[in-house]
Amino acid sequence: IPLIAANIIKEWAKRKGFLPGIFLAIHTFGRDLKRNIHIHLSSTAGGLSLTYDSWLRGIYFYHQSLKKTWRYQIIALLREEFKKGYLKLPSSLKHITTYHEFYSWTTQFYEKTWVVHLNEQSDNMKANVEYLGKYLKRPPIGETRIKHYDGNTVTFEYLDHYTNIKETLTLPVLDFIERLICHIPDKHFRNIRYYGFLANRLRGKLLPVVYKLLDIKTLITTKVYLSWRTLIQTAYKYDPLRCPLCKSIMLLKTVVLPSYYSLVSKHEEIARGYFPLLL
């Protein structure tokens, strides 16, 4: 699916005569931590000419066209996966047993509106970097959204996109943990991907060309090692060691696990639901 999203942009750009730079992040969670798989894709508005000798500007994407293309490509993918026998249908669709039946059933989705949200182009480089950067290591929930924990339940805050109102949700501890660990990606799965002139196989060759065409000076940088606390304070504007209730500074004393149980060694089993939690 990420490749489909990137290829839609690349193919459209190719018809306009340029190669864009694309950054893509895969998210599996919604604000309330339920599984809600979606893609955040950022692309340059314009890009490198196909002859690699000029930068094309002032090119925009057409919303309705993108929505229709995305819908077509995803429906085509589902049909192809079903045809190959890779698609597992829920019990509510057990009556669909042949490709012809599945093909007919998926036709209805051409009549529905598919959500493809486009942000306006931004020339604010700092805002763009901050927007992209927060997706590199963004967890399903920030610590500041956790409002209370009493040993049995966890209460956290989230923004309801339908009402645009902040809501609070209280869950039993194990239910809260279950919602978190279902978003742990498989080993070696890449949540962050790059395409176009930012693709790994092209960036070494094409980024210097882009820098030259845009008159961007290559900076000599010095590595500065910051503590995890300072990094969080800089990026998210809050102190992770300050208690959200009493506002005092917290100290990590120790982490205690039963000697017969290693949470780290059983990380994958827990995420996949194969290992019982021993509390």
Side-chain angles (χ1 to χ4, degrees):
I1 291 179
L3 183 59
I4 289 176
N7 281 342
I8 289 174
I9 301 298
K10 286 173 59 182
E11 287 299 320
W12 183 88
K14 185 177 180 180
R15 293 196 295 270
K16 298 292 183 178
F18 71 95
L19 179 67
I22 297 172
F23 165 94
L24 185 149
I26 305 168
H27 278 183
T28 60
F29 49 86
R31 294 294 179 92
D32 59 356
L33 299 184
K34 290 181 180 177
R35 196 160 182 82
N36 177 25
I37 300 174
H38 57 285
I39 290 173
H40 293 265
L41 184 150
S42 294
S43 172
T44 53
L48 192 60
S49 67
L50 299 182
T51 54
Y52 302 159
D53 58 2
S54 62
W55 181 266
L56 303 185
R57 303 175 183 271
I59 301 173
Y60 299 91
F61 300 101
Y62 297 99
H63 194 190
Q64 292 302 320
S65 177
L66 283 179
K67 285 202 300 185
K68 291 178 180 179
T69 305
W70 173 251
R71 179 176 59 191
Y72 169 79
Q73 293 286 0
I74 295 301
I75 292 175
L77 172 66
L78 292 174
R79 288 171 173 173
E80 185 64 24
E81 293 297 295
F82 183 88
K83 192 174 185 179
K84 293 178 180 178
Y86 297 154
L87 196 63
K88 184 178 180 181
L89 300 181
S91 58
S92 59
L93 297 177
K94 62 181 180 181
H95 60 282
I96 298 177
T97 58
T98 67
Y99 176 73
H100 177 73
E101 291 173 337
F102 184 76
Y103 188 98
S104 299
W105 178 76
T106 53
T107 301
Q108 64 179 300
F109 297 113
Y110 281 109
E111 305 301 322
K112 298 181 181 294
T113 300
W114 287 47
V115 177
V116 176
H117 177 71
L118 292 185
N119 280 339
E120 293 183 2
Q121 178 185 352
S122 172
D123 294 324
N124 187 329
M125 294 179 63
K126 184 175 184 297
N128 289 339
V129 170
E130 289 180 349
Y131 174 82
L132 297 176
K134 74 179 183 180
Y135 289 109
L136 291 174
K137 295 292 182 181
R138 182 183 178 185
I141 185 172
E143 192 175 346
T144 54
R145 289 173 52 199
I146 299 177
K147 299 304 179 183
H148 190 65
Y149 168 62
D150 61 8
N152 296 309
T153 61
V154 179
T155 299
F156 65 94
E157 185 180 71
Y158 69 94
L159 178 66
D160 189 317
H161 283 301
Y162 293 103
T163 62
N164 204 33
I165 297 175
K166 285 188 175 181
E167 305 282 357
T168 57
L169 180 62
T170 300
L171 295 172
V173 171
L174 291 184
D175 288 352
F176 178 76
I177 293 175
E178 181 182 4
R179 288 203 184 191
L180 283 179
I181 63 178
C182 74
H183 303 298
I184 299 174
D186 292 337
K187 189 175 183 179
H188 304 308
F189 183 84
R190 294 179 296 118
N191 280 0
I192 309 298
R193 308 187 185 195
Y194 302 90
Y195 301 92
F197 64 73
L198 292 178
N200 292 334
R201 64 184 180 86
L202 293 177
R203 69 173 68 179
K205 172 185 176 182
L206 296 183
L207 273 182
V209 177
V210 172
Y211 291 154
K212 183 178 180 180
L213 292 173
L214 296 179
D215 195 26
I216 297 175
K217 306 300 181 183
T218 303
L219 300 178
I220 299 176
T221 59
T222 302
K223 288 185 178 180
V224 177
Y225 294 93
L226 302 175
S227 69
W228 65 273
R229 182 184 183 186
T230 302
L231 287 172
I232 291 178
Q233 286 177 311
T234 303
Y236 299 104
K237 314 303 181 189
Y238 83 97
D239 187 347
L241 290 184
R242 187 173 296 279
C243 175
L245 295 180
C246 67
K247 308 303 180 184
S248 60
I249 299 299
M250 300 180 290
L251 297 176
L252 177 63
K253 299 289 290 185
T254 185
V255 177
V256 180
L257 290 173
S259 59
Y260 56 83
Y261 175 60
S262 170
L263 184 62
V264 175
S265 65
K266 297 300 180 182
H267 175 88
E268 184 173 352
E269 289 90 337
I270 293 173
R272 295 182 179 278
Y274 299 153
F275 192 80
L277 285 173
L278 303 176
L279 301 176

